[in-house]
Amino acid sequence: SVSMKKLVWYTGTTVLAGAHITARGGSGGSITTSPVYAGGVRLTLPNLIGGEYNAVGYQFTLPNATRYSGLSFGLLGSGSEAVDMGLQDSQLGNWPSGSTWIVDYFSPIKEVSTSYRWTTLTGNITYNRIGRTVRGLVLMTAGGHYDVAKVELTYRYALLQ
């Protein structure tokens, strides 16, 4: 038999305020409300010996779909020091919902400028998604501060219609 159904592709975007974090942590510094952006969050890290970090994580849920493609994670913010952004890579490891996030499980990683502008990281729909869950990370490793105004996840998904 032949089905008359076909895949119809859509593009979706989920935007979160910087303060809408799912996970936070680090080995030094602080995470506070941003004095620069309403709804934002500030990561601060003192100039220490090295190896210290500060991070915030964002979790997104994709809509139910037959197929997914075209995943990207965006960050809007600025600061005195550059930060890195990344997506969780299921090849490196996973953890249950509500557990501590593991910074080493994020790839690819991209450096974000100190200037106020959107920076986008393109992910792999196979490895940077676990089921319908996508996790993004903002990681600070140098002394200074960075204010996250917004983050966004953009994706393509198909429904059988």
Side-chain angles (χ1 to χ4, degrees):
S1 68
V2 176
S3 172
M4 297 303 288
K5 292 185 176 187
K6 64 179 181 174
L7 281 178
V8 179
W9 286 93
Y10 301 93
T11 299
T13 301
T14 303
V15 179
L16 300 175
H20 192 86
I21 57 178
T22 305
R24 61 169 56 213
S27 60
S30 63
I31 300 167
T32 59
T33 301
S34 170
V36 181
Y37 307 119
V41 66
R42 174 172 276 191
L43 285 80
T44 304
L45 195 60
N47 289 318
L48 301 171
I49 297 170
E52 290 84 6
Y53 71 94
N54 208 350
V56 290
Y58 301 89
Q59 183 164 302
F60 301 89
T61 302
L62 300 174
N64 278 321
T66 306
R67 302 196 81 180
Y68 300 98
S69 74
L71 184 68
S72 68
F73 178 51
L75 170 63
L76 177 64
S78 65
S80 66
E81 291 296 327
V83 294
D84 291 325
M85 63 189 295
L87 288 167
Q88 181 191 358
D89 187 331
S90 62
Q91 298 176 105
L92 300 175
N94 189 21
W95 56 88
S97 181
S99 297
T100 302
W101 287 25
I102 301 169
V103 173
D104 293 337
Y105 290 178
F106 285 80
S107 178
I109 299 285
K110 182 176 186 176
E111 186 173 294
V112 178
S113 155
T114 60
S115 302
Y116 180 73
R117 66 176 185 213
W118 279 102
T119 302
T120 303
L121 170 68
T122 301
N124 180 306
I125 199 65
T126 302
Y127 303 123
N128 295 131
R129 171 182 63 90
I130 298 175
R132 294 176 42 217
T133 300
V134 177
R135 293 172 173 149
L137 180 76
V138 178
L139 175 66
M140 175 172 244
T141 56
H145 71 273
Y146 190 86
D147 292 282
V148 178
K150 295 178 184 180
V151 293
E152 75 174 8
L153 187 73
T154 302
Y155 47 89
R156 288 183 35 82
Y157 64 101
L159 300 175
L160 197 56
Q161 298 180 342

